[in-house]
Amino acid sequence: MLQRGLRVGLTERLFLLVMLAVVPALVIQAWNEYDQRIAREGEIRQHVVEITKQFGEEIGMLREGARQLLLALAQLDPVKSLQPNTCSALFSKLKSHYANYSFLGAADISGRVFCTSGPTSLSQVADEPFFTRALAQPELAVGNYWIDPATNQRTIHFAERFEDGNGHIAGVVFAGLDLP
């Protein structure tokens, strides 16, 4: 004898009918959520790229401004001739026109700081990365993040080497970019 199919009651039939109606809607909703997530990730990625480009351009402008300032400072006679008092007075006066910099300074070839625009704990910079980089290359050197222990000032140093009157490397001029 053959058995007839399973007997399904009215409640089970209604439940099956509701499931057949709801499952496609749930699948469509899940697909839309997934699609929106992918689209949002793309937007976020594009936004990060734009911000990174803008940041790079701003850093490039800061770097170029520091380079021009340091090249001008390196041409001053009190710097070239290592005159501490005249140089410090001049740097102090010039510093007031450059609010982005916490200080301006110059060090001789041995790393002894002979000129600053104001108080700093830097009296010897021979071991500082900006100083060694500036002496090693003829272009602008960028130092590491640094906190002055005397003033708690947070800075990044930019440095450029300078020559004496005979064309020999005589030292390094540097500027501490103020970081809030």
Side-chain angles (χ1 to χ4, degrees):
M1 280 182 80
L2 291 176
Q3 267 189 346
R4 289 184 111 188
L6 286 174
R7 290 192 72 124
V8 181
L10 182 60
T11 305
E12 289 82 14
R13 284 186 211 167
L14 283 174
F15 181 73
L16 188 57
L17 185 60
V18 168
M19 289 301 290
L20 287 174
V22 170
V23 167
L26 289 175
V27 169
I28 289 170
Q29 181 66 25
W31 181 262
N32 284 341
E33 291 292 328
Y34 174 76
D35 198 35
Q36 286 177 351
R37 180 177 175 204
I38 296 297
R40 182 71 180 136
E41 285 177 1
E43 290 172 9
I44 290 171
R45 218 175 266 115
Q46 182 61 33
H47 188 65
V48 167
V49 167
E50 290 171 9
I51 288 173
T52 304
K53 284 181 183 177
Q54 182 181 5
F55 182 67
E57 290 170 3
E58 289 175 7
I59 291 293
M61 290 188 319
L62 279 172
R63 186 180 169 95
E64 180 59 21
R67 186 185 74 78
Q68 290 177 9
L69 171 63
L70 293 173
L71 286 174
L73 293 177
Q75 298 306 311
L76 298 173
D77 287 333
V79 173
K80 287 181 160 194
S81 59
L82 309 177
Q83 298 173 4
N85 295 334
T86 310
C87 179
S88 291
L90 185 56
F91 276 21
S92 181
K93 189 174 182 180
L94 287 171
K95 182 359 196 127
S96 66
H97 298 289
Y98 296 97
N100 290 341
Y101 297 102
S102 57
F103 64 92
L104 305 173
D108 62 20
I109 195 79
S110 68
R112 182 186 60 84
V113 177
F114 69 90
C115 176
T116 63
S117 61
T120 180
S121 65
L122 289 174
S123 60
Q124 180 69 22
V125 293
D127 295 331
E128 294 293 333
F130 71 87
F131 183 80
T132 55
R133 289 175 189 150
L135 285 180
Q137 62 192 23
E139 59 214 27
L140 181 72
V142 180
N144 299 338
Y145 177 80
W146 185 75
I147 300 174
D148 188 336
T151 63
N152 260 355
Q153 189 76 38
R154 290 161 172 74
T155 59
I156 291 181
H157 294 103
F158 293 98
E160 187 82 40
R161 64 187 187 191
F162 66 89
E163 298 174 347
D164 61 15
N166 298 325
H168 298 95
I169 297 172
V172 170
V173 288
F174 56 94
L177 180 66
D178 189 14
L179 299 175

